[in-house]
Amino acid sequence: MLNDALIMAGCAHGCEFHVALNEEESDCIQNIWLEYSESSVNNILSDNQAVWLKLLTQHKTMLWKGGVPRVFTRELLGLQCFGYEAKFHPLQLSFYPKSSKVSNREKINFSEYIIHLRNSGMSLPDEEKIMMQISIFLFGESNKNLLNYYFRQNQSLQSA
């Protein structure tokens, strides 16, 4: 509830948000940039988006662990709900309010947030549906299956 309240209060005031990585994730994203090479994703995403997709794929536990969505997942869905957009930087992922939604601060309420979480699959929890919502939020509607695709691909490689 504390994280939910933080997201709602920050959104109501038009605050910007930045992802805080732990040491392992920070080292990983730096290594991804150092090893970065052309891939099929680059035809779809910007270089910064491709690097962050790879980080999320390699560290799925940032979003999901033991069959349960992480707090970060709820925070992303909250930012999506309240009209924020992602800005990808080489070593930082930030979120800013879309100008059209900032004027609708009265719509930032707990009921709207809970409805959005439920519609996104959080009540079940439905991993595929939740990851689809996060893909839409981070990478756009045309890439709605991106996280699910790479998570499945990564699982296949790990089990081989």
Side-chain angles (χ1 to χ4, degrees), residues 14 82-85 87 96-105:
F82 298 125
Y84 273 65
E85 60 186 337
K87 298 285 185 186
Y96 300 91
K98 293 179 188 174
S99 57
S100 62
K101 189 85 175 193
V102 173
S103 60
N104 294 329
R105 289 189 181 149

Side-chain angles (χ1 to χ4, degrees), residues 47-85:
D47 289 347
N48 292 342
Q49 287 177 313
V51 167
W52 279 92
L53 173 62
K54 190 168 183 177
L55 176 70
L56 292 171
T57 302
Q58 289 181 1
H59 290 273
K60 182 180 176 182
T61 56
M62 289 177 69
L63 299 170
W64 203 271
K65 187 173 182 180
V68 178
R70 303 289 304 271
V71 170
F72 182 48
T73 302
R74 288 175 63 97
E75 292 169 343
L76 289 174
L77 292 172
L79 292 170
Q80 178 188 41
C81 176
F82 298 125
Y84 273 65
E85 60 186 337

Side-chain angles (χ1 to χ4, degrees), residues 28-133:
C28 182
I29 199 164
Q30 290 178 38
N31 289 335
I32 291 169
W33 269 110
L34 290 173
E35 299 168 0
Y36 188 72
S37 62
E38 295 298 317
S39 71
S40 60
V41 176
N42 291 345
N43 297 329
I44 302 168
L45 304 174
S46 72
D47 289 347
N48 292 342
Q49 287 177 313
V51 167
W52 279 92
L53 173 62
K54 190 168 183 177
L55 176 70
L56 292 171
T57 302
Q58 289 181 1
H59 290 273
K60 182 180 176 182
T61 56
M62 289 177 69
L63 299 170
W64 203 271
K65 187 173 182 180
V68 178
R70 303 289 304 271
V71 170
F72 182 48
T73 302
R74 288 175 63 97
E75 292 169 343
L76 289 174
L77 292 172
L79 292 170
Q80 178 188 41
C81 176
F82 298 125
Y84 273 65
E85 60 186 337
K87 298 285 185 186
F88 295 86
H89 308 282
L91 299 175
Q92 180 62 53
L93 177 55
S94 302
F95 301 92
Y96 300 91
K98 293 179 188 174
S99 57
S100 62
K101 189 85 175 193
V102 173
S103 60
N104 294 329
R105 289 189 181 149
E106 69 278 357
K107 288 188 171 186
I108 296 176
N109 63 61
F110 193 65
S111 295
E112 182 180 352
Y113 180 53
I114 294 300
I115 290 168
H116 183 72
L117 290 177
R118 186 176 347 130
N119 291 341
S120 298
M122 287 292 282
S123 58
L124 298 175
D126 182 340
E127 181 177 351
E128 190 166 321
K129 190 172 183 180
I130 292 167
M131 292 298 102
M132 184 182 296
Q133 280 301 312

